[in-house]
Amino acid sequence: MDHVSFDDAETYEPDEGWQRAALAGSDRFSFEWFEKPPGHSSPMHDHENEQVCVCLEGELTVHTETETVTLAAYDSVHLDAWESHRVENAGDERAVGLDVFAPGRGFEFWTDREE
């Protein structure tokens, strides 16, 4: 068993106010808790990982090249590997979510990213 206390989870901040924390996972899947401040959007991007994004608090708007969906608390969306997307908090209050990636990935996707 590999226990990760939320208070001890490895964290990083890809952009100001955009917090991410690595929860228990493996090389086959990973979980990342995240918080987005009002008005924040990740850039359009893609990756080798399938992704499930679950909204835990507030609203998150997920944009692909062809669709847009707004998630309320406990709604989720599945993104295929290499499907271009961005996740936005268009609201006035913080939004909190959980990303699940398969295969698992580390923080270097954002921390080692070249603009």
Side-chain angles (χ1 to χ4, degrees):
M1 180 181 340
D2 183 18
H3 171 251
V4 176
S5 167
F6 187 76
D7 290 338
D8 296 330
E10 183 181 358
T11 62
Y12 71 113
E13 189 174 13
D15 286 331
E16 185 176 340
W18 179 20
Q19 304 288 326
R20 296 189 72 88
L23 306 180
S26 73
D27 59 347
R28 293 188 310 262
F29 64 91
S30 60
F31 290 81
E32 286 189 23
W33 172 95
F34 66 89
E35 176 180 334
K36 283 190 174 292
H40 182 271
S41 177
S42 60
M44 189 66 84
H45 64 284
D46 62 23
H47 39 70
E48 69 177 334
N49 321 81
E50 286 187 73
Q51 178 177 349
V52 172
C53 178
V54 181
C55 181
L56 300 176
E57 182 180 320
E59 289 186 346
L60 294 166
T61 302
V62 181
H63 304 272
T64 68
E65 292 178 341
T66 59
E67 297 178 85
T68 296
V69 65
T70 298
L71 307 177
Y74 309 114
D75 290 346
S76 60
V77 65
H78 171 262
L79 298 159
D80 287 322
W82 304 116
E83 185 173 6
S84 294
H85 63 282
R86 67 184 179 91
V87 180
E88 175 184 24
N89 176 2
D92 296 331
E93 301 194 12
R94 83 177 187 145
V96 177
L98 180 69
D99 281 333
V100 182
F101 299 101
R105 74 171 201 198
F107 289 162
E108 64 277 351
F109 178 81
W110 289 113
T111 59
D112 295 352
R113 188 177 181 83
E114 293 184 23
E115 297 298 322

